[in-house]
Amino acid sequence: MKSNRDINKIRKSRPSEIGPLITALNFFHPLSEEMIRYFEQKLVLIKCTKQTLLLQSGDICKYIYFIKKGLVRGFIKEGGKDITTWITADNELVTSIHSLDLEVPALENMQAIEDCEFLALSSRHLKQLYIQYPDFNITARKLLQHYYRDAERRALLIRHANAVFKYHFFLENYSHLSNRVPIKYISSFLGIAFETLSRVRKKMATSAK
Amino acid sequence: MKSNRDINKIRKSRPSEIGPLITALNFFHPLSEEMIRYFEQKLVLIKCTKQTLLLQSGDICKYIYFIKKGLVRGFIKEGGKDITTWITADNELVTSIHSLDLEVPALENMQAIEDCEFLALSSRHLKQLYIQYPDFNITARKLLQHYYRDAERRALLIRHANAVFKYHFFLENYSHLSNRVPIKYISSFLGIAFETLSRVRKKMATSAK
DNA sequence: GCATCCATTTGACAATCGTCAACTATTTTG
DNA sequence: CAAAATAGTTGACGATTGTCAAATGGATGC
């Protein structure tokens, strides 16, 4: 498996490249002009290929990533197997919240499952941002409220009674991922064997005719 | 099932009663004297009996509750059955984060599973707090980071391979609940039938001798 | 374009677990 | 205290799903 040495391109971002992130953040709480300048100065653009590990469990997470383009999953190692705990795509933020803030080793891994482009902010600059522009604590609070809800939705997904209900819930809540993510990651995310998911898909296809 | 009319005692809290909440919040980020005064003025003390619904799905959550004493669970109704999504005890905060902030109907229910005593702050006063004492956004951000981690832990719990692993994980992470919460809630929280949990417990007791 | 690799499908079978039912133990309440 | 309600245990059985194995399909690279 590729390690984070494969984060093969990293450079300062250009102001013209950060629009989608600013839009996403503004949606939660308006950013001041000064904050936008700060992002323009501190954000870096990172490109990586499919399979690259952005974060490895045991390491300390150094960045919060905004996915400009691509697909990323989180997973943990449990009894020799991967368990995919989330999958997320373009225009979303990803990081290990706990590791980033407390500078402790992360439990989870993060991996690109498509070639990706990120805007990344280091934990150092994020912390400086909280101090220099206290209003950003409001933005972060609202972001966390939003992502807390996402975490609850994922927990609900795997609590569904059987494979069919889980996949239905997946289609209702993550339809944008269903034709983009390999079945092995979806099945792991749903907590079922990939063979089972294959059978569920077949059953749904034939019964819907 | 008892409704929230059973929240049978509610009165202004006394300063001497709010210590544990202040201590808990200070742990995340120090509160100023003014903020503590604010809590002293706005917190209410709520008592309710076992089984009381603090929040019913479809209603808008009006309070954030600090559990001074007691035990509370969150659950959703799914296909005629309850699914317990969290269980929490003394000295923890509970609310529907999403419903409280956005003033939209909650999806989940909250229910006391012991006689309880809460310190409660209304959403109106919480929002005023964010405005009047912007530093409280830092506290809230850190609280949310902490509770996000809890949500991930719960998701991990139900992703474990089988009933034995789930119960082991439960004992490691929620040992304070194992002898206090009825088996039907624990089993639902673990995503297994209560009969299965009964058998797991027996097997562990006999194999440990 | 062929060979290799990886993703997905399909089948067979066994393990795990949920459901139903009966029973026992414990708690609550009048 | 007795009766009733609630909580927990145990057994039998079937449904769902995971595992292993083999086959097929598609993508990638030389």
Side-chain angles (χ1 to χ4, degrees):
Chain A
M1 193 173 274
K2 295 184 181 184
S3 80
N4 49 15
R5 283 187 302 266
D6 295 285
I7 295 179
N8 45 16
K9 292 181 184 174
I10 171 165
R11 62 162 170 77
K12 209 166 160 314
S13 69
R14 289 185 269 271
S16 65
E17 291 167 332
I18 73 168
L21 172 56
I22 302 302
T23 303
L25 294 179
N26 264 324
F27 178 79
F28 289 98
H29 190 76
L31 299 175
S32 66
E33 282 304 314
E34 291 80 29
M35 282 191 238
I36 294 173
R37 292 300 148 268
Y38 186 90
F39 280 115
E40 285 175 358
Q41 283 164 33
K42 307 300 187 194
L43 283 170
V44 294
L45 188 90
I46 294 177
K47 292 186 187 190
C48 74
T49 58
K50 187 162 37 172
Q51 302 292 93
T52 303
L53 278 176
L54 296 169
L55 173 67
Q56 203 154 3
S57 80
D59 289 353
I60 293 170
C61 186
K62 295 293 185 198
Y63 288 102
I64 180 165
Y65 300 91
F66 175 78
I67 308 174
K68 260 181 88 73
K69 197 169 65 64
L71 203 52
V72 181
R73 72 177 183 123
F75 68 97
I76 58 146
K77 296 256 179 199
E78 190 81 24
K81 292 188 173 179
D82 283 7
I83 301 177
T84 296
T85 54
W86 50 262
I87 306 170
T88 195
D90 315 56
N91 291 308
E92 295 281 347
L93 291 166
V94 297
T95 190
S96 168
I97 292 174
H98 196 244
S99 173
L100 187 78
D101 187 64
L102 301 182
E103 295 172 31
V104 295
L107 300 175
E108 70 270 41
N109 307 270
M110 302 196 323
Q111 184 184 33
I113 53 183
E114 287 180 358
D115 293 352
C116 285
E117 242 179 86
F118 304 101
L119 295 169
L121 190 72
S122 71
S123 60
R124 191 166 66 82
H125 289 136
L126 179 63
K127 286 173 185 181
Q128 195 188 329
L129 180 60
Y130 286 134
I131 293 165
Q132 202 163 329
Y133 306 101
D135 262 20
F136 194 70
N137 283 289
I138 301 174
T139 310
R141 172 171 66 77
K142 294 195 173 184
L143 273 166
L144 280 159
Q145 287 174 181
H146 178 83
Y147 281 105
Y148 184 87
R149 191 172 168 73
D150 273 359
E152 293 210 304
R153 179 174 313 150
R154 294 193 295 271
L156 198 50
L157 173 90
I158 35 176
R159 284 180 186 282
H160 277 77
N162 60 42
V164 172
F165 284 129
K166 287 180 184 181
Y167 191 57
H168 272 295
F169 187 87
F170 176 78
L171 290 179
E172 277 166 23
N173 287 276
Y174 303 90
S175 55
H176 60 296
L177 299 177
S178 67
N179 291 315
R180 194 171 166 186
V181 179
I183 196 178
K184 65 176 172 182
Y185 299 132
I186 296 178
S187 57
S188 174
F189 181 48
L190 303 188
I192 59 181
F194 70 91
E195 295 96 329
T196 302
L197 179 53
S198 178
R199 288 180 182 109
V200 168
R201 278 182 160 173
K202 186 183 184 186
K203 195 161 73 179
M204 284 176 57
T206 53
S207 74
K209 279 204 238 359
Chain B
M1 191 174 277
K2 295 184 183 185
S3 82
N4 49 15
R5 282 186 302 267
D6 293 284
I7 295 178
N8 44 17
K9 291 182 186 172
I10 172 166
R11 63 161 170 78
K12 210 164 160 316
S13 69
R14 290 186 266 271
S16 64
E17 291 166 333
I18 74 168
L21 172 55
I22 302 303
T23 303
L25 294 178
N26 264 325
F27 178 78
F28 289 98
H29 191 75
L31 299 175
S32 65
E33 281 304 314
E34 291 79 28
M35 282 191 239
I36 295 173
R37 293 297 150 270
Y38 186 90
F39 281 115
E40 285 176 357
Q41 283 164 35
K42 306 301 188 193
L43 283 171
V44 293
L45 188 90
I46 293 176
K47 292 187 186 189
C48 74
T49 57
K50 185 160 40 169
Q51 301 292 92
T52 303
L53 279 175
L54 295 169
L55 173 67
Q56 202 153 3
S57 81
D59 290 351
I60 294 171
C61 186
K62 296 292 185 198
Y63 287 102
I64 180 165
Y65 300 91
F66 174 78
I67 308 175
K68 259 181 89 72
K69 194 170 68 63
L71 204 51
V72 181
R73 73 178 183 124
F75 68 96
I76 59 144
K77 295 254 178 200
E78 191 81 24
K81 292 188 174 179
D82 283 7
I83 302 177
T84 296
T85 55
W86 49 262
I87 306 171
T88 195
D90 315 54
N91 292 308
E92 294 282 346
L93 291 165
V94 298
T95 189
S96 168
I97 292 173
H98 195 244
S99 174
L100 187 78
D101 187 65
L102 301 181
E103 296 173 30
V104 294
L107 299 175
E108 69 271 41
N109 308 269
M110 302 196 324
Q111 183 184 33
I113 53 183
E114 286 181 357
D115 294 351
C116 285
E117 241 180 85
F118 304 102
L119 293 169
L121 189 72
S122 71
S123 60
R124 190 165 68 82
H125 289 136
L126 178 63
K127 285 173 185 181
Q128 196 189 328
L129 180 61
Y130 285 134
I131 292 165
Q132 203 162 327
Y133 306 101
D135 261 21
F136 194 70
N137 284 287
I138 301 174
T139 309
R141 171 171 69 75
K142 295 195 172 184
L143 273 168
L144 280 159
Q145 287 174 181
H146 177 83
Y147 281 105
Y148 184 87
R149 190 171 168 75
D150 273 357
E152 294 208 305
R153 188 186 333 241
R154 294 192 295 271
L156 197 53
L157 173 90
I158 36 177
R159 285 180 185 283
H160 277 77
N162 60 42
V164 172
F165 285 129
K166 287 179 185 183
Y167 191 57
H168 272 295
F169 187 88
F170 176 78
L171 288 180
E172 277 167 23
N173 287 277
Y174 304 90
S175 56
H176 59 297
L177 299 178
S178 66
N179 291 316
R180 192 170 167 187
V181 179
I183 196 177
K184 64 175 173 181
Y185 299 132
I186 295 177
S187 56
S188 174
F189 181 49
L190 303 187
I192 60 180
F194 69 91
E195 295 95 330
T196 301
L197 179 53
S198 177
R199 286 183 249 263
V200 168
R201 279 182 160 173
K202 187 181 184 186
K203 195 161 71 180
M204 285 176 57
T206 54
S207 75
K209 278 207 247 341

